[in-house]
Each structure stands twice: as C-alpha cells, then as structure tokens.
Amino acid sequence: MLQITSAQIRKDLSYFGRFGKQGRGYRVRHLLTELKQILGLDAEWNVAVVGVGRLGNAILNYPGFNPDGFHLVAAFDNNPRHLGEDVGGVSVEPMSAMAETVASRNITIAIVAVPSVHTQSVVDQLVECGVRAILNYAPITAQVPAGVWVRNIDPVLALQSMTTI
Amino acid sequence: MLQITSAQIRKDLSYFGRFGKQGRGYRVRHLLTELKQILGLDAEWNVAVVGVGRLGNAILNYPGFNPDGFHLVAAFDNNPRHLGEDVGGVSVEPMSAMAETVASRNITIAIVAVPSVHTQSVVDQLVECGVRAILNYAPITAQVPAGVWVRNIDPVLALQSMTTI
DNA sequence: GCCTGTGAACATATTCACAGCA
DNA sequence: TGCTGTGAATATGTTCACAGGC
C-alpha cells in the first residue's frame, strides 16, 4: 500500500532491533509500541505557533493539527491587533513574552508562520529561548546553529515540483 | 545559504548541461532562464482544487498560492452547500462536471483537499479525466497507475518528525 | 512451508581534488 | 588566481537471496 518493498521495511526495522518472529511475522500491537517509542511519539510535546496571520490562524484552528501527544499551548504575534485575542483556544502573546512562556509551559517545538522577511529573526529568538525543533512555513532556509532542527513546509514548492512530469 | 555545498550544486547543474564559464562563474539571468525551462517553470499550468472545505478554502484564498505560471482555475465539491459558491474567485462545480471542465480549461495539475476516506476515489476520478500530477493533502498513499505523479503534503507528519531531536 | 533478519551485490548520491580555461 | 566541470573515491541507500527459527 505504501509502495515500499518488504525488504526495505525489514532493513529499516533491523536498524533499530529485532521485532518479529521468523516464520510468524510481527505482533502488530507490540511493533506499534516499539515504533512509537523509536519515533518519540510516546511522549507529550508542547508546541508554540509564531505568527497568527492567515496561516497561523488556520494552523491553530485546524482540528487535525493536534495529533496524539502534541499540544498547541502558545501563540505569539507582535501585531497589537491580535494581542490577547483567542485563536483556537490559545491566547495570543507578544514576542517579548516568548522566553518566559517557552520555559514555563515547557515548549520544545515551534511552528513559524510569519512572512519570509521576519522568519530569520523569529527563528533566532526561538533558538535563544531554547527551542531546538522548528517547523517553518516560509520559503526561506533559516540559518541555525548545530543542534537545532528546522523542517521546511512549502506547498508552493511542492506545486512547482509537479511540472516535470 | 541553502546549506548545500558548491560541489553539489555544480554536479547537479552538470547533469543538465554546462551553464558557467571557468574562472568567471555563472551569468545569473541566463542560468535562471535555463533552470526555469528545466524545471518547467517557463510554462503556464492550470490547476484545479478538489474539496472546498476548510483546507480547500484556505488554498483558494491564500494569495501566495499563485506562483508565476500557476493558475487556480477550477474548484470541485459535492457538498450542495458549496455548489455555485465563489471561493477565491473560482466558482465551485460538482464532481460530475470534472471531465468537461478539466478538458475545456486544460487543467493538468490537481490539488486534493478532501477527507482521507474520499481521497482514493477523487484521485481515481482525476486520473480518469487525464490529470497526471496530483498534490494530496490527506495522510494517505493513493494508488495510481504508472505515469501519474502524486506528491503528498502532510504538515502533521512533518510535526511528528520533529520529535527525534 | 513461511517469513524474519541480514550479509552481499548492486545502485545511487555526495564529496574530493584537480585539469583547464578565463 | 579563481571558479567551472568532472572523473575518481567515498558514502549512503536499496535490492537480492538465502540461512535459520517457527
């Protein structure tokens, strides 16, 4: 179904250990538990959204954006128009509150949904606050020190990549 | 800036031809033109959005989702509530109109923003209508015949992938 | 007989290092 | 001297094929 060969799956699993029984296959529940642990999906992660414009708003309100273990617990924006506003159940705070809120709510992941021009400075600020995993929606490669992970999501790039059929 | 080595870039370019001058570098305008052609970004692409729920709506209204050469020219949904509605300047049509509209408006790319349960049947229908490039927003691997390209966009998966710091 | 786990073979991708031209 | 283009070396990823336990 996933267009992945059985050999590939076996090799991938073997990288982490031995989870099956020869001739019998895998115990699904057991394998699922092991995989969740390997992927860090057995823990709780508190997430902050920076930027509550059109996109940040959509993220905070999108019901599917709260998979097991992930909690959108903070939102930041410097636009006074949004300050104090409730977006998807979270109260919008100014950027200046970031350090304190990240620490007090134990936030480890951030989603950056600000215009490209502001992305780098927002990322710098997040890194400064101790956030080491950042999901970036701007079409920009943010520069970060070693040990910080940025994943870029760019639907426009994905669309553009469809043209070489 | 892109965290890509110069050797990598030279190798990639060499796959398509020779665009620079030794000792001098690349003529930026010329290289840009060549790359646009290689990537199919010098042409016009008409795009349809299937599903005008929360997500489809956001896509159709998002001003950044109209990069050079891409035109969102149709929207389909079977919910009678949305039929005829204007979403981001496009009139919502029923799924039954797909074959005719795809042909008449020369649509070559589709963005599928419907719930997972409906994704496969929508994809089947698009393929039937001759669409060969599909951007899928559901957390599903759609099955397609050879020659059809599906690219999956899954922000939730991206978020989940941030946990193995 | 079935299906995992894994070396070996093969394939692809990246990096190195340098000849050669401006 | 500077920078491209590219073979060669290295690294990484995938597929094959089969031993061995169930």
Side-chain angles (χ1 to χ4, degrees):
Chain A
M1 285 177 68
L2 295 169
Q3 315 287 7
I4 298 169
T5 64
S6 61
Q8 185 64 73
I9 289 174
R10 290 203 302 280
K11 255 286 192 269
D12 287 357
L13 292 179
S14 80
Y15 181 81
F16 295 102
R18 310 173 57 150
F19 307 106
K21 280 248 184 307
Q22 286 165 319
R24 313 238 83 219
Y26 301 90
R27 279 164 52 205
V28 176
R29 289 197 74 81
H30 173 245
L31 183 58
L32 199 59
T33 307
E34 295 277 6
L35 288 177
K36 277 190 176 160
Q37 197 187 328
I38 291 165
L39 297 171
L41 299 179
D42 59 342
E44 302 297 315
W45 303 90
N46 291 333
V47 182
V49 175
V50 185
V52 292
R54 202 190 278 269
L55 183 58
N57 222 287
I59 291 167
L60 285 158
N61 279 302
Y62 187 52
F65 226 110
N66 267 302
D68 272 11
F70 291 84
H71 312 287
L72 301 178
V73 297
F76 301 102
D77 200 305
N78 259 347
N79 189 330
R81 189 155 67 93
H82 293 305
L83 288 186
E85 201 179 330
D86 177 288
V87 182
V90 178
S91 173
V92 179
E93 302 173 51
M95 300 289 281
S96 54
M98 190 188 284
E100 201 189 312
T101 300
V102 164
S104 66
R105 298 197 199 149
N106 192 28
I107 291 166
T108 48
I109 300 175
I111 299 173
V112 179
V114 303
S116 298
V117 276
H118 298 123
T119 301
Q120 183 65 56
S121 79
V122 164
V123 166
D124 290 345
Q125 213 175 138
L126 284 165
V127 171
E128 184 73 28
C129 294
V131 176
R132 298 204 299 155
I134 296 169
L135 212 58
N136 168 39
Y137 272 88
I140 287 285
T141 302
Q143 311 298 314
V144 289
V148 178
W149 298 95
V150 176
R151 172 135 308 183
N152 296 299
I153 296 196
D154 190 344
V156 172
L157 203 58
L159 181 61
Q160 290 179 323
S161 76
M162 308 277 3
T163 57
T164 43
I165 313 180
Chain B
M1 284 177 68
L2 294 168
Q3 315 287 9
I4 297 170
T5 64
S6 61
Q8 185 66 72
I9 288 174
R10 291 201 301 281
K11 255 285 192 267
D12 287 357
L13 292 178
S14 80
Y15 181 83
F16 295 101
R18 310 173 57 148
F19 307 106
K21 281 247 185 306
Q22 287 165 318
R24 313 238 82 219
Y26 301 90
R27 281 163 52 206
V28 177
R29 288 197 74 80
H30 173 245
L31 184 58
L32 199 58
T33 307
E34 295 276 6
L35 288 178
K36 278 190 176 161
Q37 198 187 328
I38 291 165
L39 297 172
L41 299 180
D42 58 343
E44 302 296 315
W45 302 91
N46 291 332
V47 181
V49 174
V50 185
V52 291
R54 202 189 280 266
L55 183 59
N57 222 285
I59 291 167
L60 285 159
N61 279 303
Y62 186 54
F65 225 111
N66 266 303
D68 272 12
F70 291 83
H71 312 287
L72 301 178
V73 296
F76 301 102
D77 202 305
N78 258 347
N79 189 330
R81 188 155 66 93
H82 294 304
L83 287 184
E85 200 180 331
D86 179 289
V87 181
V90 177
S91 171
V92 179
E93 302 173 53
M95 301 289 283
S96 55
M98 191 188 284
E100 201 188 313
T101 300
V102 163
S104 66
R105 297 197 200 148
N106 193 28
I107 290 167
T108 49
I109 300 174
I111 299 173
V112 179
V114 303
S116 299
V117 276
H118 299 122
T119 301
Q120 182 65 56
S121 80
V122 164
V123 166
D124 289 346
Q125 214 175 137
L126 285 164
V127 170
E128 184 74 26
C129 294
V131 176
R132 298 205 298 156
I134 296 169
L135 212 58
N136 167 39
Y137 272 89
I140 286 285
T141 302
Q143 311 297 314
V144 291
V148 178
W149 298 94
V150 176
R151 172 134 310 183
N152 297 299
I153 295 195
D154 190 343
V156 172
L157 205 58
L159 180 61
Q160 289 180 325
S161 76
M162 309 276 3
T163 56
T164 44
I165 313 176

